[in-house]
Amino acid sequence: MVRTMTDQILYQVHLQQKQRNQAQRPESFLHRAAVRAEGNKGHASPLLSSSAPTTDSADSISRPNSRQREEELELIDQLRKHIEYRLKVSLPCDLGAALTDGVVLCHLANHVRPRSVPSIHVPSPAVPKLTMAKCRRNVENFLEACRKIGVPQDNLCSPSDILQLNLSVKRTVETLLSLGAHSEESSFVSLSIQLLGFVAFYCTLMLTLCLLYYGIFPL
């Protein structure tokens, strides 16, 4: 009986020690991996969800930039066509290279008002490419001619704008051509008035001569 009670006590002590060891034993590898995977899953979803707005924002920024670039290219092409129509020449697709030396711009100013640019530096067979100093001189002469013709200061571009072919060059050229068209219209009106004056003077003179003739030699 005593031995049986002793065995029961030992058995209960053994069970308590076993339960204590199981409580103190670290979690298994699979359990730790499952916990780690659950934590990563919880943190990964915000990253994935945030990547979509980042891509969308980048696309939303690139789309307006591409549209703006297309509009600029269209405006530059319009400028090239305006110059070609006025000067009756063909310009290359790269309009910046054609305007950088200022030769075409100086000819355009002289087209609007003859001799507005008295001296133009042009390439020669011996020197097919102008130096930067001569190019800048041509550009400055063009801008000075624009001032003399009447282009407002607010519509004038700068030499650097011409070198970089900014859209301000288009505004300057369009203002210059509009002044040229107004000048041509004014010249036409002035010529018409002069012709009408000459016709009136001629008719008055002939009528006066007729009256004098019939006054001196009556029928």
Side-chain angles (χ1 to χ4, degrees):
M1 184 70 178
V2 174
R3 183 177 179 179
T4 302
M5 293 179 62
T6 302
D7 292 340
Q8 290 180 354
I9 293 172
L10 291 176
Y11 180 74
Q12 290 178 359
V13 171
H14 177 72
L15 288 177
Q16 291 177 359
Q17 186 177 2
K18 184 177 180 180
Q19 292 176 357
R20 191 182 302 111
N21 290 336
Q22 289 179 351
Q24 294 178 356
R25 187 179 61 183
E27 298 172 342
S28 65
F29 172 76
L30 294 176
H31 180 72
R32 291 197 302 270
V35 172
R36 191 182 299 112
E38 186 70 19
N40 292 337
K41 182 179 179 182
H43 291 291
S45 57
L47 293 175
L48 293 175
S49 61
S50 63
S51 63
T54 303
T55 305
D56 294 340
S57 61
D59 293 339
S60 62
I61 294 174
S62 62
R63 288 195 208 99
N65 291 337
S66 62
R67 286 197 298 267
Q68 181 179 0
R69 182 58 181 167
E70 290 177 358
E71 292 176 356
E72 291 178 355
L73 292 176
E74 184 178 355
L75 293 175
I76 291 174
D77 187 63
Q78 292 178 2
L79 174 61
R80 180 175 60 84
K81 291 179 180 179
H82 288 332
I83 297 175
E84 288 179 342
Y85 175 76
R86 288 305 184 103
L87 297 181
K88 301 298 185 293
V89 296
S90 296
L91 299 177
C93 295
D94 186 6
L95 187 60
L99 301 183
T100 300
D101 57 5
V103 175
V104 174
L105 295 174
C106 289
H107 284 303
L108 186 64
N110 284 340
H111 173 77
V112 174
R113 178 178 295 179
R115 301 295 299 171
S116 59
V117 181
S119 177
I120 304 175
H121 298 285
V122 297
S124 63
V127 185
K129 188 175 182 180
L130 296 178
T131 62
M132 286 301 298
K134 292 183 178 180
C135 293
R136 188 172 185 84
R137 185 60 180 170
N138 283 338
V139 171
E140 292 175 351
N141 289 339
F142 164 73
L143 295 176
E144 183 63 25
C146 290
R147 295 187 185 95
K148 292 178 180 178
I149 294 172
V151 176
Q153 186 65 34
D154 294 338
N155 292 346
L156 275 178
C157 60
S158 63
S160 60
D161 292 334
I162 296 176
L163 294 176
Q164 299 174 3
L165 192 59
N166 292 336
L167 293 180
S168 56
V169 180
K170 183 176 184 295
R171 183 172 64 249
T172 301
V173 171
E174 287 180 345
T175 306
L176 177 65
L177 294 178
S178 65
L179 291 173
H182 179 69
S183 177
E184 292 176 358
E185 183 179 355
S186 300
S187 300
F188 177 77
V189 172
S190 177
L191 181 61
S192 300
I193 293 174
Q194 291 177 4
L195 290 175
L196 289 175
F198 175 77
V199 171
F201 171 76
Y202 179 78
C203 292
T204 304
L205 179 61
M206 294 303 295
L207 181 60
T208 303
L209 291 176
C210 290
L211 292 175
L212 289 175
Y213 177 79
Y214 287 111
I216 297 173
F217 304 101
L219 296 177

